[in-house]
Amino acid sequence: KIAGTATREIAGVHDLGGGAARAFGPEHRQLRVVVDEQLAIARAGMNLRTGPLLRVVHVDAGPDRLGRLLLVAHHMVVDAVSWRIILDDLVQAYEGAPLPRYGRPFLAWATDREDRQPEPVHLTPAPLAVLDPVRDTAATAVHHTIELGEQATHALLTTIPAAHRATPDAGLLTALARAVARWRDTDPHLLVALESHGRTDEVAQTVGWFTAISTARVRPDAGGVKLVKEELRRDLDATPQLAWNYLGRFTPAPQIEAAWQVPPDADPLGSGAGDMPLPYPLMINALERDGRLGIRFTWPAALFTEVMIAELGGHFQAELEALAVDPAALTGGLTPSDVPLVDIDQAGIEDLERRYRIADLLPRTVEQDAMIRQTEIFTVQAAFTLRGDLDVPALQVAAEQLLRRHPHLAAAFPADRRVQVIPADPRPDFRVIDTTNVAQALIEDQDDLLRPETGPMVRITVLRTGAADSVLVIGTHHAVGDGWSAPRMLDELFALYAGRPLPEPVPLRRYLEWFHADRATDREFWRAEVAELPPGDYLTAGRPYRTGKTDPVLFTVDADVVGNLTRAAAGRGLTANTVLQGAWANVLARHSGRDEVCFGTSVSGRQAEVDGIEELLGLVRGNVPVRVRLTGDTAADLAELQTRQQTQPHPVELSTEDLFDSLLVFENYPVDPARIREPAPGLTIIGARFRERTPYPVSLFVVPENGGWSGILHYQGGMFTVDEAQTFADELQAALRNLIGELS
């Protein structure tokens, strides 16, 4: 220790302090004897203070037989994974090949490492036995082994871990706790020193001792493997009763000697120095070899008799074999650690599992909650008239593949829990309808609402008219998709239909992990942004809220107007979106008589911090308030608005209720027109029709098209007449023309 800090000196390269020995003779036992003798000598000469901590001895077996290369290292500098790396490097060096440098250096890893602090607990179970460090050394160690058959091994190491999304430790320790309880006639409650390799990807190829040891409580009780899996995530500040280490799968034992291979008589678990004190009264190591699970018990001879440990081994084997055929263990299921973004306990998860086949549980946003409550409004219908020979069975297969790539499109939204259930077997609602009245079929399709309670949230319908053309109808609930996703969904569907390659899908969980991170600064910004805003009745003027289906008001802004406006705006450093918002703010000010107004807009949540976000299909946007102050200096007002929006953070969970009564969206998504027009070989889209509603009294969507803008103004029929809606559209166009002069 230096100044109270534990240190490790990294010495330079020097003599390994190894040697050579000869072991001539035909007897295999003679070679083994010499190897054991040399092992003892190498160990005896190893000094932790002076080093070296790696010794190499070559045992020459004569001209007619392969010799042995004995590697001896202190556990301070190697773990089990290190031996594979050392052997690979040794072989390459012997053959004259250059040695690659890979993996982060151990010293850099150790310097940056932050030790995880154990969780303080008050647990003092009776020890299995009391160790004497002088008496109970490795030289007194006794071993007992058990072995399971191939079928039980497969269930314990493959089936049950996969069903529980856990390591084999969860199931194996469940059986061990039950076995110890039978052995000692106590409750199944153990404190176990749990050893793991402790490596991350950056040090996967680095030599060193990365082994992590934690203390876990194992108490399966009625919870079985699920409860043990959750308990293993905790590192407790308590004294363990025994040690457990599952070492993984080992290559089959060789039958004959081969160069640079572990010899047939080698112990896969290695060996320790004779005078080293044993750290635990009972140590259990498990590994799989030749398709069978082998378990070795090690203990100081003074603490237990072989009969006692054999009895424990018998109980353990019986519990393992029972677990391997237990239907509950083989079925498994989720636990709270599998769904860290959702606040739910095990009982809640199992309640959902009785209703759904679940792959994942994800949180819902405030916006999704509002959409689910008004499904009749938030179902978007896109109908595409296709010319060409559409292979309907192939399209159905493509639709199924689409949802397997993006299973959240088939999510269910239970009414009694604020989660979205991602199904294990996502399938679209796929329909084929023969009709001669396409218009009526589209109305019926839209009236047949998607069902959030059960999912899926996507429906694909093919309308066959008997002619050469067919109509593809994609119905999507807004809770699982946004405007950015819509063209990509169509593109992916036909890419799968045509067999075109696609990039790896981006899981929704990746975005939600970022979205639900601690963003206190973002929340503070939005609270300040809406502070002291008056009621948002700029157009409604106290009219009671009512919904009502209507045909939208369509309008166009001519290309010459857009061109002049864009040039005037550019001269002031303003974007087209900003001047559109300024024009709509003037409409709201005229109707409300206020010089400060607020309306909503949709902003993308596709932030660069989320890897692959551009390819994610899903609801990755939010509606935020746009607060506009009108002082009479149009250019300055719009510049202030644009600056504020350019620096605003991503939307947070913010209730926009009563802040505004209109929504303005400038849709400028990157779309390849040629790909949309000809989505697959032999197919051409010759017509498209979209039906979309919002809950707002007035919603305005503007899309760039052929140099001009196309506008769609939706309104609630229970609140406005068509003439009033047309007036809003006309006033917007007039305001846009006025801005040309004001900004020039």
Side-chain angles (χ1 to χ4, degrees):
K1 290 196 174 184
I2 299 176
T5 301
T7 64
R8 180 181 303 178
E9 180 181 349
I10 308 298
V13 177
H14 54 79
D15 179 53
L16 293 179
R22 291 182 179 274
F24 295 124
E27 293 296 329
H28 176 75
R29 285 177 299 175
Q30 182 180 352
L31 179 59
R32 181 74 252 178
V33 169
V34 175
V35 167
D36 289 343
E37 290 173 350
Q38 293 300 317
L39 175 63
I41 294 171
R43 282 190 187 130
M46 189 169 289
N47 188 309
L48 182 61
R49 295 184 178 276
T50 63
L53 300 183
L54 172 67
R55 293 176 179 266
V56 182
V57 179
H58 177 237
V59 179
D60 187 351
D64 301 322
R65 186 178 181 186
L66 290 171
R68 297 285 175 86
L69 188 68
L70 181 62
L71 304 176
V72 184
H74 197 288
H75 210 339
M76 183 70 78
V77 296
V78 295
D79 55 14
V81 177
S82 296
W83 286 119
R84 173 183 54 77
I85 303 168
I86 291 172
L87 183 58
D88 288 346
D89 280 1
L90 191 59
V91 173
Q92 290 196 68
Y94 179 81
E95 295 175 348
L99 294 181
R101 285 190 64 84
Y102 45 71
R104 192 179 187 206
F106 180 85
L107 184 58
W109 171 86
T111 302
D112 293 343
R113 181 171 180 254
E114 293 184 6
D115 287 334
R116 176 182 169 188
Q117 296 301 315
E119 176 184 342
V121 292
H122 300 287
L123 296 172
T124 55
L128 298 182
V130 178
L131 281 167
D132 182 334
V134 176
R135 177 194 64 195
D136 300 324
T137 63
T140 71
V142 185
H143 306 295
H144 174 77
T145 60
I146 60 175
E147 186 177 85
L148 278 83
E150 293 182 5
Q151 188 171 353
T153 296
H154 181 78
L156 293 165
L157 302 187
T158 303
T159 307
I160 292 174
H164 289 81
R165 304 185 190 188
T167 65
D169 289 317
L172 300 178
L173 287 172
T174 298
L176 176 61
R178 291 169 175 168
V180 172
R182 291 174 60 185
W183 181 51
R184 293 173 62 87
D185 193 25
T186 60
D187 293 333
H189 184 160
L190 274 179
L191 285 177
V192 178
L194 190 64
E195 188 170 318
S196 62
H197 63 70
R199 291 173 177 260
T200 59
D201 289 343
E202 65 175 356
V203 291
Q205 299 294 327
T206 303
V207 172
W209 185 41
F210 296 92
T211 303
I213 301 176
S214 60
T215 300
R217 177 167 54 180
V218 182
R219 44 167 190 163
D221 302 330
V225 180
K226 291 180 181 178
L227 180 58
V228 172
K229 169 191 165 184
E230 294 298 292
E231 292 282 8
L232 294 184
R233 295 176 58 84
R234 303 170 62 193
D235 181 9
L236 307 180
D237 186 7
T239 303
Q241 297 165 284
L242 57 83
W244 167 266
N245 189 7
Y246 172 66
L247 297 164
R249 289 180 162 89
F250 280 52
T251 57
Q255 300 301 310
I256 60 174
E257 293 181 339
W260 298 109
Q261 299 296 318
V262 176
D265 61 346
D267 185 344
L269 296 179
S271 56
D275 60 350
M276 180 179 70
L278 292 175
Y280 305 100
L282 180 61
M283 293 159 286
I284 306 174
N285 290 287
L287 62 87
E288 184 264 333
R289 200 171 196 180
D290 298 321
R292 294 173 177 272
L293 175 63
I295 298 171
R296 186 170 82 173
F297 301 80
T298 301
W299 71 96
L303 296 187
F304 305 106
T305 67
E306 292 193 34
V307 172
M308 294 170 66
I309 300 301
E311 181 186 5
L312 172 59
H315 289 314
F316 193 16
Q317 183 153 5
E319 292 292 347
L320 287 169
E321 290 172 346
L323 188 68
V325 295
D326 180 5
L330 294 170
T331 302
L334 297 176
T335 60
S337 64
D338 295 319
V339 291
L341 299 180
V342 176
D343 183 14
I344 192 169
D345 59 15
Q346 188 63 48
I349 291 174
E350 292 177 0
D351 172 61
L352 290 172
E353 286 178 328
R354 285 188 284 271
R355 292 181 270 165
Y356 307 96
R357 291 194 61 228
I358 303 175
D360 200 0
L361 295 177
L362 297 176
R364 280 157 41 174
T365 65
V366 170
E367 190 172 14
Q368 283 180 312
D369 287 338
M371 291 175 173
I372 294 303
R373 289 193 297 269
Q374 295 179 290
T375 290
E376 70 282 358
I377 291 177
F378 285 103
T379 297
V380 182
Q381 183 191 74
F384 304 94
T385 303
L386 297 171
R387 177 153 294 167
D389 186 13
L390 178 65
D391 185 341
V392 175
L395 183 67
Q396 181 170 2
V397 171
E400 292 170 354
Q401 293 173 333
L402 177 70
L403 263 65
R404 283 198 293 272
R405 283 174 54 84
H406 308 283
H408 55 274
L409 298 178
F413 294 76
D416 57 340
R417 295 190 182 274
R418 195 168 176 258
V419 299
Q420 46 184 319
V421 177
I422 310 303
D425 52 349
R427 294 178 182 273
D429 181 357
F430 191 92
R431 303 177 182 183
V432 180
I433 299 174
D434 294 309
T435 182
T436 58
N437 189 339
V438 172
Q440 182 60 33
L442 291 175
I443 292 173
E444 292 173 357
D445 176 81
Q446 192 170 40
D447 288 343
D448 186 4
L449 299 177
L450 295 168
R451 296 167 179 80
E453 179 81 15
T454 60
M457 303 293 269
V458 173
R459 179 169 62 230
I460 296 178
T461 305
V462 176
L463 302 179
R464 296 190 298 202
T465 63
D469 301 337
S470 53
V471 179
L472 171 65
V473 186
I474 302 178
T476 309
H477 199 294
H478 230 324
V480 299
D482 55 17
W484 182 285
S485 303
R488 282 167 170 73
M489 189 183 303
L490 181 69
D491 184 56
E492 280 206 21
L493 176 64
F494 279 104
L496 295 165
Y497 173 86
R500 293 197 305 267
L502 288 170
E504 283 296 311
V506 178
L508 180 62
R509 174 188 279 267
R510 186 183 301 171
Y511 164 73
L512 292 176
E513 286 173 344
W514 172 84
F515 182 80
H516 287 279
D518 183 14
R519 295 164 56 213
T521 302
D522 295 354
R523 283 189 287 273
E524 186 60 34
F525 172 91
W526 287 110
R527 278 195 290 266
E529 184 68 7
V530 300
E532 300 180 1
L533 269 176
D537 56 349
Y538 306 96
L539 296 176
T540 53
R543 303 184 192 191
Y545 179 79
R546 295 191 184 95
T547 61
K549 287 186 178 180
T550 58
D551 289 327
V553 172
L554 307 179
F555 65 93
T556 58
V557 183
D558 294 337
D560 59 340
V561 174
V562 171
N564 292 331
L565 183 62
T566 303
R567 284 188 291 273
R572 300 280 189 168
L574 302 174
T575 66
N577 184 42
T578 299
V579 294
L580 176 63
Q581 290 180 342
W584 186 244
N586 275 285
V587 174
L588 298 185
R590 177 177 179 177
H591 282 269
S592 64
R594 304 176 193 172
D595 58 11
E596 184 177 34
V597 297
C598 183
F599 54 89
T601 193
S602 292
V603 295
S604 172
R606 299 177 188 274
Q607 305 296 312
E609 298 97 317
V610 183
D611 185 36
I613 193 65
E614 301 294 323
E615 301 300 326
L616 175 61
L617 303 187
L619 182 62
V620 190
R621 64 108 172 112
N623 290 342
V624 299
V626 179
R627 190 171 184 172
V628 184
R629 301 174 181 89
L630 302 172
T631 66
D633 185 342
T634 301
D637 293 341
L638 296 186
E640 190 271 339
L641 169 64
Q642 181 169 287
T643 299
R644 203 167 69 252
Q645 289 188 316
Q646 288 174 341
T647 58
Q648 73 185 23
H650 180 76
V652 297
E653 293 276 58
L654 176 72
S655 175
T656 58
E657 188 175 358
D658 298 330
L659 291 179
F660 47 82
D661 58 1
S662 65
L663 181 75
L664 173 65
V665 180
F666 187 61
E667 295 187 333
N668 195 17
Y669 307 124
V671 176
D672 182 352
R675 180 72 65 83
I676 295 297
R677 186 168 53 254
E678 297 182 3
L683 292 176
T684 304
I685 294 178
I686 62 172
R689 177 180 176 182
F690 301 91
R691 285 185 176 272
E692 181 177 8
R693 297 173 62 195
T694 77
Y696 301 104
V698 174
S699 301
L700 185 59
F701 298 87
V702 177
V703 183
E705 186 174 22
N706 299 324
W709 291 346
S710 293
I712 305 173
L713 191 148
H714 297 273
Y715 62 98
Q716 299 296 349
M719 302 185 71
F720 300 103
T721 66
V722 65
D723 290 339
E724 288 175 309
Q726 184 65 58
T727 298
F728 298 150
D730 294 342
E731 290 175 343
L732 174 64
Q733 294 181 78
L736 288 168
R737 289 190 293 270
N738 291 337
L739 282 176
I740 297 174
E742 293 180 30
L743 296 175
S744 297

